[in-house]
Amino acid sequence: MSHHYSGPDFGFPHGDARLDLTDLYAFPKPGDAGKSILIMNVHPSASVNPPGFTAADPFAPDALYELKIDTDGDAVADIAYRVRFSASEGGTLTATLRRVEGIQAATTGDSGQAIVQGAPVSMGREARVTDAGDYRFFAGWRSDPFFFDTQGALNNLQFTGDDFFADKDVCSIAIELPNSELGRQDLGLWARTLHDVGGKWIQADRGARPQQAVFLTGAENADYLAGEPADDARFVAVFAHSLQHAGGYTPQDANLVARRLLPDILPYDPKRPACFPDNGRTLTDDAVDVFLPILTNGKVTGDKVGPHSDLLGEFPYLGRPHKADS
């Protein structure tokens, strides 16, 4: 179900919903081809195991939320955007966005050039957007744009078209930036969350392509979520085994498909229209109907669910949250 519930047994990484990466989107800004929109969604508002609602605080103050950008095709970050959040004070949170490039982009830490400081986090229905030069920044609760028949997936891929996410929310980090800040045209993107454990940053979740980590990693889930795209070749055998089981692939064909799914990086050329899986991902791209035929070797072609209708025509583009304070 995209990257939602990517922890053990459809739970959350490190047991904290705020650390759960759900989706990554990248697309040219509508009406302005010189800019791009990058969106990292985390923290689903509802849990599957156990069923119920998650924490009210959108982001964890002891976490780091990071967008990684590879500019030279080696699956190692050359640019990174890092977001940290303040502790809640009377229900108010603020965010700081930093940019780092070069060798530091591939390291772990919360250093970097401050692009936005003290940006208000949206807790209510209206989006609180911060402008900073050529950048625009948003962080807060939004309507989850992901669409999928989750219960059908849990029922042996017997889909009925019931969209589990139609009334669910998610916490979004959205950045509007000039394409010149991305370094070049042919990029590789991924996102990750890190948790401060005893003064050391520990990677809790990571991903780029929707769904595959949830369905294909099995017992090596924790190693996969803690890993780096540059090392993803070690998971080819695990992916191939799962593809044989789910889709009836021959070992040779399963291996070929697994190698196409890895490394777990989203390709993006800001000079071309976005369309998943070839170039970025828009908020209406049907990633499920792309992935299911791969998973099942063509036996299942879709889940009968379509895009949501509550998307906005302007930044941050995600719809208003269904449940909010105001």
Side-chain angles (χ1 to χ4, degrees):
M1 55 200 76
S2 196
H3 214 77
H4 298 65
Y5 320 116
S6 47
D9 300 320
F10 293 102
F12 297 116
H14 294 199
D16 190 337
R18 299 171 300 175
L19 301 175
D20 192 288
L21 169 68
T22 68
D23 287 287
L24 174 65
Y25 301 91
F27 52 91
K29 178 183 177 180
D32 186 349
K35 291 186 174 182
S36 286
I37 308 297
L38 307 180
I39 297 176
M40 173 185 182
N41 285 345
V42 300
H43 189 178
S45 65
S47 171
V48 170
N49 183 26
F53 294 105
T54 58
D57 288 341
F59 305 98
D62 58 350
L64 183 64
Y65 300 84
E66 196 169 34
L67 284 162
K68 296 278 200 177
I69 304 170
D70 169 28
T71 64
D72 57 12
D74 63 356
V76 175
D78 302 290
I79 300 170
Y81 286 93
R82 296 165 171 167
V83 184
R84 288 207 67 183
F85 295 90
S86 68
S88 178
E89 297 183 7
T92 300
L93 284 79
T94 61
T96 297
L97 169 69
R98 298 184 184 276
R99 183 183 190 273
V100 63
E101 60 181 311
I103 295 175
Q104 279 191 314
T107 63
T108 296
D110 60 354
S111 62
Q113 174 192 1
I115 303 296
V116 174
Q117 296 187 79
V121 174
S122 293
M123 302 295 288
R125 286 179 55 77
E126 297 306 317
R128 303 181 70 181
V129 174
T130 298
D131 294 308
D134 290 330
Y135 283 80
R136 303 192 83 194
F137 176 82
F138 168 86
W141 285 105
R142 290 279 93 185
S143 172
D144 194 340
F146 185 61
F147 47 99
F148 184 43
D149 179 359
T150 299
Q151 295 305 319
L154 297 176
N155 185 29
N156 197 31
L157 301 185
Q158 300 299 307
F159 295 113
T160 64
D162 182 16
D163 185 359
F164 176 82
F165 297 94
D167 60 352
K168 303 299 190 299
D169 294 329
V170 73
C171 295
S172 299
I173 297 170
I175 304 170
E176 176 185 304
L177 74 168
N179 291 336
S180 58
E181 292 288 85
L182 295 174
R184 52 173 289 175
Q185 292 181 214
D186 297 317
L187 308 171
L189 311 179
W190 68 98
R192 67 175 184 167
T193 63
L194 301 104
H195 190 200
D196 185 348
V197 180
K200 182 179 180 180
W201 289 114
I202 304 297
Q203 184 169 297
D205 201 354
R206 61 102 175 187
R209 300 173 184 266
Q211 295 195 294
Q212 61 189 45
V214 177
F215 284 110
L216 296 180
T217 54
E220 297 200 28
N221 177 274
D223 288 342
Y224 184 85
L225 296 183
E228 297 283 349
D231 301 321
D232 276 352
R234 64 187 173 124
F235 296 105
V236 167
V238 179
F239 274 44
H241 177 76
S242 296
L243 286 165
Q244 289 181 64
H245 176 74
Y249 287 92
T250 65
Q252 182 179 12
D253 287 344
N255 187 273
L256 291 173
V257 173
R259 291 185 181 279
R260 289 200 296 268
L261 294 173
L262 296 169
D264 189 0
I265 290 178
L266 183 70
Y268 179 55
D269 179 351
K271 297 298 184 181
R272 296 193 294 117
C275 184
F276 181 82
D278 298 321
N279 190 50
R281 181 183 174 193
T282 73
L283 297 171
T284 57
D285 282 340
D286 199 332
V288 170
D289 286 4
V290 171
F291 183 72
L292 283 174
I294 297 174
L295 177 68
T296 66
N297 199 9
K299 297 179 180 66
V300 179
T301 58
D303 68 338
K304 306 176 183 178
V305 178
H308 295 168
S309 60
D310 60 352
L311 299 173
L312 304 181
E314 59 184 8
F315 188 83
Y317 302 101
L318 303 119
R320 295 177 176 85
H322 300 277
K323 295 183 179 180
D325 294 335
S326 59

